[in-house]
Amino acid sequence: MTPTSKKRKNIQIKGIAASAGIAIGVVYKLSGDVIKVEERDIPPEEVDREIKKFDRAIDLTRQELHEIQKQARDKIDKDASEIFDAHQMLLDDQVIIKETKLQIANQLKNADFVYHQLMKKYQDSLENADDEFFMGRVADIKDVKRRLIRNIQGKKPVSFKSLVKKSVIVARDLTPSETVMLDKNKVLAFATDKGGKNSHAAIMARSMEIPSVVGAQNISELVQTGDLVILDGNNGDIIINPSKRILDKYVYLRTEYDELTKSLSAFRNLPSRTLDGKDVELSANLDFADEIKSVINYGAQGVGLFRTEYIYLTRDQLPSEEEEFAEYCRITESIYPHPVIIRTLDIGGDKNPRYLSFPEEDNPALGSRGIRFSLDHRKILKSQLTAILRASAKGNVKILLPMISCHEEISHARALIDQVKGDLRSKKIPYDPNIEIGIMIETPSAALMADVLAEDVDFLSIGTNDLIQYTLAVDRGNIKVAHLYKRMPLAVLRLIRDVIIAGHRKGVWVGICGEMAADPLAILVLLGLDIDELSVSPPMLPEVKKIIRLVTFKDAEQIAEKALQMKTSDQIETYLKNVYRTRYRMKVI
C-alpha cells in the first residue's frame, strides 16, 4: 500500500451510474478476475487426457453454476437466478464442446487455449457490435469462459474470504456470478473499468441495492487496495483519495441522500394523488424482465412502458413466438392485477440486431425504425403481436405502437392485430378481446394530428425524448448542436398541452413515458396540463410521487398556464425553480 502522504489526491473519474447511492470507504482491489492462458503443443498421446480434463472441468463448472444459481435465488430472487440458465446453456453448448475437442485432437493444443480461442471469437463479435445490449451480454460469456478455464487449469475461483473490512470493490470487470457472491455486510459498493448500465451485474446490483459505477475507464489501474474512495452511484462520479474539503462535502451529501431515500420510502404505499384529490397513474419503465422486482419494490402501479428490444438484441436469431410469450407472461403475471404496456419492436436508427440486414440510410433517425420497420417486416410483427395477445389472457396487457407519424400506420397495424385475433379465435387460444391499443406520440406530425389519431386508439403515450429531438431538429448526441437540446422547450410543452386536450376530447387517456416525466420541474407543468399517467424509471417513483402529493391540481394548473406564457426554456426553468423555492421550500436543480 502506498503511504498516504505520497498518494495523489482528488483523482476524479467519470463512469456510468449503474446503481444509486453514495459510498465512502477503502478500496479492495479484485485482481483474481484475470486469467492467463498459454498456447502449448501437446503430443498425440496426451489428447485423451486433455479431453478428459476438459470434460471434468465442464462437470465442475456445472456444479458451481448450480450453487451460484441457488445463492442468487436465496439472496435476490427467482428472476435473478434465471440469469444463470443462460450460463448453463452456454456451458453445455454442444457446438462449442465438440469444436473444442476436435481442435484439441487436430491441432494438438492444450484444452484451455483451444476453448479460450473459440469463446474469444464469440465474445469479440459481440464487443464489435458497439451496442450496449450486446456489450452487456459479453460479461456473461466471460463469466462462463473464465470459470471453465480456471477449472481446466485447476485454479480456485474468485473469493471474497480475505475481505474483512467493509470496502469498495474495484475490478476490471465483475461477472454476474461474482456479483451474486458479494456480501452486503462486507461490500459498500463496486466500481469496474468495463460494463454497461444494462449488464446483468448492474441489474443485480440495483436489486441488491449496492451502489455501483461501471464503465469507469481505467480505475482498476489507478487505485490500490487501501486507497480511500468516494463512489457516487447517482451520477457516476468516483473520487480517489479525496481532500478533506471534498470528503466533508460527500459525507454531507451521503447523509442527505440516505435521509431522502428513507423519507421517500414512506411514499411507497401511498396513493399517487394531489392535495385536492386528483389521482395520477404512476407507472414504471422497464427495459429487462429481470428488473421487474425493482418495479414492484418501488411501488409502481404498473409498467407504463415495457421496451421489448432486448429480446431481439440479445439473441443470435429472431426470438420464437414461444420465447416472447414466456417473457411477457413472466412480467404480466408478476405485476398482475396492475397493467403492463408492451411496446412493439422499436428497432432501427441506432439499435439493429446483427442477424437482420439494415440498408445504409443517410439519416437513420428519420428512416426505417419503429412501426415503419415492423410494417415492412410483418412476419416479425405478427409473431410478436401473437405472443402479446396470448399473454393478455394471463394479465392486464396493453399494446403500444412506436414511432407513429400518420393515420395509415395505425390502420395497417390494427388490421394485422385483427388478423392475429382471428387466428387465435380459430385455434381456440385465449386472449383479451378488449385489449387496449395505444400509440407513441414522439413525432411532431403525430402530436399535431393527435385529435385524428386518438379516434382509432385507446390511449396516447408521449415519448418526450424523441419529441424534443424531432421538434427542435436537434440530435442531443451531436456535440455541435447539443446546446440547442433544451430541458423544457416551449414548443414541446405546447404540443404536449395540445395532445392532452385532443386525447381527452376523444375520450382517451394520455400518459408520458419519456425522461420529462421524471423531471421535478416538468412534473408541476404536466400535472397542470391534466396528464393522466407518468411512467418513469423505478428508482424515480418515490420522488415523483412525493411531488404529486405536494401540490393541488388547481395550483398546478395555474403554474402550467403561467409557464406556457414564457418565451424561452430558460425563463420557464427559472420560474419553476422559484416556485419550488418560495412555495414548497424545495431546491430543485
Side-chain angles (χ1 to χ4, degrees), residues 441-457:
I441 301 290
E442 49 193 337
T443 64
S445 65
L448 290 166
M449 290 181 59
D451 57 334
V452 176
L453 304 182
E455 291 179 351
D456 286 320
V457 295

Side-chain angles (χ1 to χ4, degrees), residues 87-185:
H87 288 212
Q88 294 278 9
M89 289 173 63
L90 191 58
L91 175 70
D92 291 326
D93 188 313
Q94 291 304 308
V95 174
I96 294 174
I97 290 174
K98 285 178 183 175
E99 186 61 24
T100 302
K101 292 179 179 179
L102 194 65
Q103 290 196 19
I104 290 172
N106 291 345
Q107 297 181 12
L108 298 177
K109 298 289 183 185
N110 47 316
D112 49 341
F113 172 76
V114 171
Y115 184 74
H116 178 270
Q117 294 301 100
L118 284 171
M119 293 295 277
K120 191 171 184 304
K121 276 185 185 175
Y122 185 27
Q123 178 184 319
D124 289 347
S125 68
L126 293 183
E127 285 182 325
N128 293 335
D130 195 25
D131 184 293
E132 191 182 345
F133 287 91
F134 294 129
M135 294 290 285
R137 303 291 81 75
V138 169
D140 297 336
I141 297 170
K142 286 181 179 176
D143 200 346
V144 175
K145 183 184 74 176
R146 287 172 184 165
R147 188 167 295 279
L148 181 58
I149 289 176
R150 279 195 198 102
N151 285 328
I152 293 174
Q153 297 176 342
K155 295 180 179 175
K156 292 187 178 299
V158 171
S159 168
F160 297 99
K161 287 182 180 175
S162 59
L163 183 60
V164 293
K165 187 175 181 180
K166 207 164 184 178
S167 306
V168 176
I169 304 292
V170 175
R172 289 185 70 246
D173 202 359
L174 210 56
T175 65
S177 65
E178 288 164 351
T179 309
V180 171
M181 302 299 286
L182 297 179
D183 182 349
K184 279 195 73 175
N185 294 317

Side-chain angles (χ1 to χ4, degrees), residues 140-270:
D140 297 336
I141 297 170
K142 286 181 179 176
D143 200 346
V144 175
K145 183 184 74 176
R146 287 172 184 165
R147 188 167 295 279
L148 181 58
I149 289 176
R150 279 195 198 102
N151 285 328
I152 293 174
Q153 297 176 342
K155 295 180 179 175
K156 292 187 178 299
V158 171
S159 168
F160 297 99
K161 287 182 180 175
S162 59
L163 183 60
V164 293
K165 187 175 181 180
K166 207 164 184 178
S167 306
V168 176
I169 304 292
V170 175
R172 289 185 70 246
D173 202 359
L174 210 56
T175 65
S177 65
E178 288 164 351
T179 309
V180 171
M181 302 299 286
L182 297 179
D183 182 349
K184 279 195 73 175
N185 294 317
K186 295 181 179 177
V187 175
L188 285 169
F190 74 75
T192 57
D193 296 349
K194 298 186 175 182
K197 191 171 184 177
N198 292 322
S199 67
H200 279 143
I203 291 170
M204 284 195 282
R206 290 195 284 275
S207 295
M208 296 165 74
E209 297 183 349
I210 296 176
S212 59
V213 174
V214 297
Q217 305 167 42
N218 58 340
I219 184 171
S220 68
E221 296 175 11
L222 294 174
V223 297
Q224 297 297 324
T225 294
D227 279 343
L228 183 64
V229 69
I230 295 170
L231 181 147
D232 189 341
N234 300 322
N235 55 31
D237 288 333
I238 298 174
I239 303 164
I240 305 167
N241 295 323
S243 64
K244 186 175 183 309
R245 183 179 65 79
I246 297 291
L247 184 61
D248 289 345
K249 173 187 167 186
Y250 272 91
V251 168
Y252 172 78
L253 289 175
R254 182 181 61 182
T255 303
E256 190 178 56
Y257 176 80
D258 290 345
E259 288 176 353
L260 175 65
T261 303
K262 192 176 177 182
S263 68
L264 288 177
S265 67
F267 289 89
R268 183 186 181 284
N269 296 316
L270 297 176

Side-chain angles (χ1 to χ4, degrees), residues 347-377:
I347 57 173
D350 59 349
K351 291 182 291 186
N352 303 324
R354 291 170 301 144
Y355 51 83
L356 293 176
S357 59
F358 281 78
E360 288 288 328
E361 294 181 287
D362 290 338
N363 194 340
L366 301 179
S368 178
R369 52 169 297 196
I371 196 66
R372 300 172 183 179
F373 171 87
S374 294
L375 289 174
D376 285 340
H377 298 78

Side-chain angles (χ1 to χ4, degrees), residues 27 58 78 146 283 304 454-455 458 528 553:
V27 166
I58 290 177
K78 181 175 176 291
R146 287 172 184 165
S283 308
E455 291 179 351
D458 300 295
F553 176 55

